[in-house]
Amino acid sequence: MSATGIGAAVKRKEDFRFLTGRGNYTDDINQPGQTYAYILRSPHAHAKINGINTDAAKAAKGVLAVFTGEDMAGVGGIPCGWGVNNKDGSPMNEPPHPALAIGKVRHVGDQVAVVVAESYAKAKDAAELIEVDYTELPAVAHMEAALAAGAPLVHDDAAPGNLCYDWELGDEAEVDAEFKNAAHVVSIDLTNNRLVPNAMEPRAAIGDYNKGTGEYTLYTTSQNPHVIRLLMGAFVLQIPEHKLRVVAPDVGGGFGSKIYHYAEEAIVTWAAGKVRRPIKWVAERSESFLSDAHGRDHISHADLAIDADGKFLGLKVYTKANMGAYLSTFSTCVPTYLYATLLAGVYTTPKIYANVKAIFTNTVPVDAYRGAGRPEATYLLERLVSKAARQLGMDQVDIRRKNFIPADAFPYQTPVALQYDSGDYEATLKKAMELADWNGFPARKAEAAGRGKLRGIGISTYLEACGIAPSAVVGSLGARAGLFESANVRVHPTGSVTIYTGSHSHGQGHETTFAQLVSETLGIPIDNVTIDHGDTNRIAFGMGTYGSRSLAVGGEAIMKALGKVVDKASKIAAHLMEASPEDVEFKDGKFTVAGTDKEVDFGTVALTAYVPHNYPHETLEPGLEENAFYDPMNFTYPGGCHICEVEIDPDTGVTQVINMTAVDDVGRVINPMIVEGQIHGGLAQGIGQALLESCEYDESGQLISGSYMDYCMPRADNFPGFQATTESTLCAHNSLGVKGCGEVGAIGSPPAVINAVLDALADLGVEDISMPATPQKIWQAIQSASVPAAAE
Amino acid sequence: MPTVSMTVNGKQMSGDVESRTLLAQFIRETLDLTGTHIGCDTSQCGACVVHVNGDSVKSCTMLALEADGADVTTIEGLAQDGDDLHPMQEAFRDNHGLQCGFCTPGMVMSAIDLVKTNPNPSEHEIREWLEGNICRCTGYHNIVKSIAAGAAAMRGEKAAAE
């Protein structure tokens, strides 16, 4: 292994600019003549707009323009990227999503008008002069309310019953048959709490219009600038790709929330064409809470049929998923194809049925947040399996082992569409149990009891599907775009290399990891490699970064393009060494001819390609630059075991996480330092979901957790240090053997935490606790359980 | 509009501000020192931490006018002469204490102030100190490690090996 190649913990190339304040985030960019936008948002969850008077705002000092939905009426709505069909085959309800509200507002924060002014303060001041005549309508803030008979309708006739779709996977009757043979049926009702992604950089966008060329430029906080160009250009503003440049510069975290095409991007781009000056919009954090797509928000019931021996026979899952007020880009696929297809987990359950109803409510749109569907599936399964162990009097680990898909069973076809290519669930379980000292737990529990503390241990053995995604498969499931990736390798005349990738780094460290692939493959110093990303004018195409796809899809595209470079360079080297191309070998940056001492280095070949005075013109073009598109054959399937140990103070209900151990199979590891960092971050978000974070609406649809004063963001003192490591099998269908590591931490950990909390409370007879397991909830559970009648 | 003057990263700076202009806005917009970030509107996240007269301050909690005459250091002032990083910056790089980089300037500025008052902080003390700095990427694990290593380097010790 070289010091900068595959497997090396190379320090990150991008860190210097971030550490010295020289990053270039969207809000750091200013254009000559720039103006500022303030977006007036609805204060009501549901209201009719009778009229909007913008006269006073337009007349205010420094104001250039005020636009409302009527002004943008000719512009297309914000599109949804994935169609899902109902059980009966009919298409889902897909109501329009205007960039600025027309006729009605449907959630607190819905965009009503935009003020463009010489300064942000002037725009904000002028927005206070806009008079909107609203008639408030009754709102549905929660799914139960939305489904009640006679409930107010978010989209009137466009979504009767507030239903987006009623979808199913599997044959319910077939699964019912398994239940007839079952010795045991274990059932569970769960809520997967609604979360706000809260990337630390608030969303921002700058629209610019070039009066000379008619070209538009959008700078935006996006995880996938080409996707934004496609969606906004083709569907919203009708600007062809060659006249629209989208730049996503340094982006301060995404976690899914910066995948989607947001109205503000279309508004500033469109308005820049009207006012003929650049327009910058930056969200205040309060606006982020009211306009960034939220995550999770499922209510589920599940039944697990088990035979007398503890083997799972069948699983039925009924889930309601909150879509919010409008369909965000990937909202519809999250609770279906990223959720129900995961319900086999790591187990051999032969028959599975899932029914998912997607519901409109008067809340902010809900879409993918780190893990996206897979944390919801994992939480349901791993809570259910632990509950089954308790109900059947089995050991938590034994019940899992008894049902694991064995390591020699791959490729393994699940009953819910996916075919797993590789894994070894016993290996990750065993290593995690060792690291967490599982067997020493009873002694620690007894010791804690001596101090008056309730100690619990919880486990989760999980799997996820990422590396999104094989285009043919997802196309057949309703995806309206392919999910491949592109790469371009440009070898410069003196042998340095620039990689243009369609993946986008917003914290993941691509500039280092991808450069390691180049350093390893071409045998050149990592400092001679630059990774360029985030600009549709420089990068041919790209589907961006989400679903742990950057390395497994984007990295594979780079490897494919590098392979083409090596092929061509070998031919040039053969010519220089007067050898046959078949006899040329390339290793450690040198071309050699087998059985001779002939040798040329990579730099010489690169120079020859660009100074072609001695060049095989009859067979090769000059230059050394190659493109590749890579479309994966299958999803990748990381998995592993997370073990959490907690201590609860029964007097206060406060839970302290004592130990969090994660052993994950992420496939081949390119940079272990970065991989561990990704897992740490995922664990923090998973523990945050389990113990701290909750997005709450009151019955009228007002967001009551709309700031960092109200929404409990995890702080450093909420966590212990993490024990995170990898125990990998290789992905069987890509050249690197990589699977993905971005989401595993957030997927596997929430059930481990809650199972630990329930283990700590088990002796009191507490059987359920909902996320987040706040001190108040736990204290109340302890108080209720202490009542003799409740304590069995 | 009133004029405000202060020493920023060792240089005398002045500019016209509205009376409501925050120090964070003055630093970013008037002085174009965009390393100081704004991540919230309730003074919770700590992305905007700078040093004012040697102490760490959330620059969104001060009006620019309040800093008139003050000595301000921003993240750009730590390694002014090119490529020599401050030991705390170096420690963050060595320990992968940053991912997206957005909270990083505030984390580094805050950490340096911690070490000024507590040269050898325990892990617990570091975690408590970071109460006012939110990171969404790292789970804080490597930030805590970075600050311990940075503190050791600032004390003149070599950072403990892994």
Side-chain angles (χ1 to χ4, degrees), chain A residues 133-207:
Chain A
D133 178 10
Y134 290 110
T135 300
E136 273 193 76
L137 301 169
V140 286
H142 303 102
M143 289 191 282
E144 300 90 328
L147 291 172
L153 294 175
V154 180
H155 288 284
D156 305 298
D157 295 342
N162 290 316
L163 194 67
C164 175
Y165 54 73
D166 181 358
W167 173 90
E168 68 180 356
L169 182 65
D171 183 331
E172 191 171 19
E174 240 180 50
V175 185
D176 278 336
E178 292 293 330
F179 276 71
K180 295 205 174 71
N181 304 324
H184 311 278
V185 173
V186 179
S187 300
I188 200 162
D189 288 285
L190 292 172
T191 297
N192 204 288
N193 44 327
R194 186 178 179 116
L195 303 173
V196 182
N198 273 312
M200 291 316 297
E201 178 203 24
R203 284 192 300 116
I206 304 168

Side-chain angles (χ1 to χ4, degrees), chain A residues 527-540:
Chain A
D527 289 341
N528 290 5
V529 184
T530 289
I531 306 298
D532 194 1
H533 59 100
D535 185 338
T536 60
N537 267 19
R538 292 205 301 268
I539 288 113

Side-chain angles (χ1 to χ4, degrees), chain A residues 11-12 19 25 27-28 121 125 196-197 200 285-286 369 673 677-678 681 685 693 709 714-716 719 722, chain B residues 20 28 34-35 37 39-41 44 75 89 94 96 98-102 127 131 136-141:
Chain A
K11 306 290 181 233
R12 297 202 321 172
L19 280 164
Y25 301 88
D27 188 25
D28 300 340
D125 287 347
V196 182
M200 291 316 297
R285 179 58 63 181
S286 308
Y369 164 61
M673 176 191 82
Q678 288 293 305
Q685 289 179 2
E693 299 177 41
M709 310 287 279
R715 263 69 166 190
F719 302 123
F722 303 129
Chain B
R20 62 180 162 180
R28 286 184 55 81
T34 55
H37 296 150
C40 76
D41 47 14
Q44 294 281 304
I75 189 73
Q89 292 170 310
D94 288 347
H96 190 28
L98 65 152
Q99 291 182 23
C100 82
F102 197 79
R127 287 182 184 275
E131 209 278 337
R136 193 56 152 170
C137 293
T138 64
Y140 303 98
H141 182 100

Side-chain angles (χ1 to χ4, degrees), chain A residues 46 127 190 193 251 290 384 386 563 606 635 759 765:
Chain A
H46 198 192
L190 292 172
N193 44 327
V251 172
L290 294 174
L384 185 56
S386 282
F635 293 90
D759 184 56

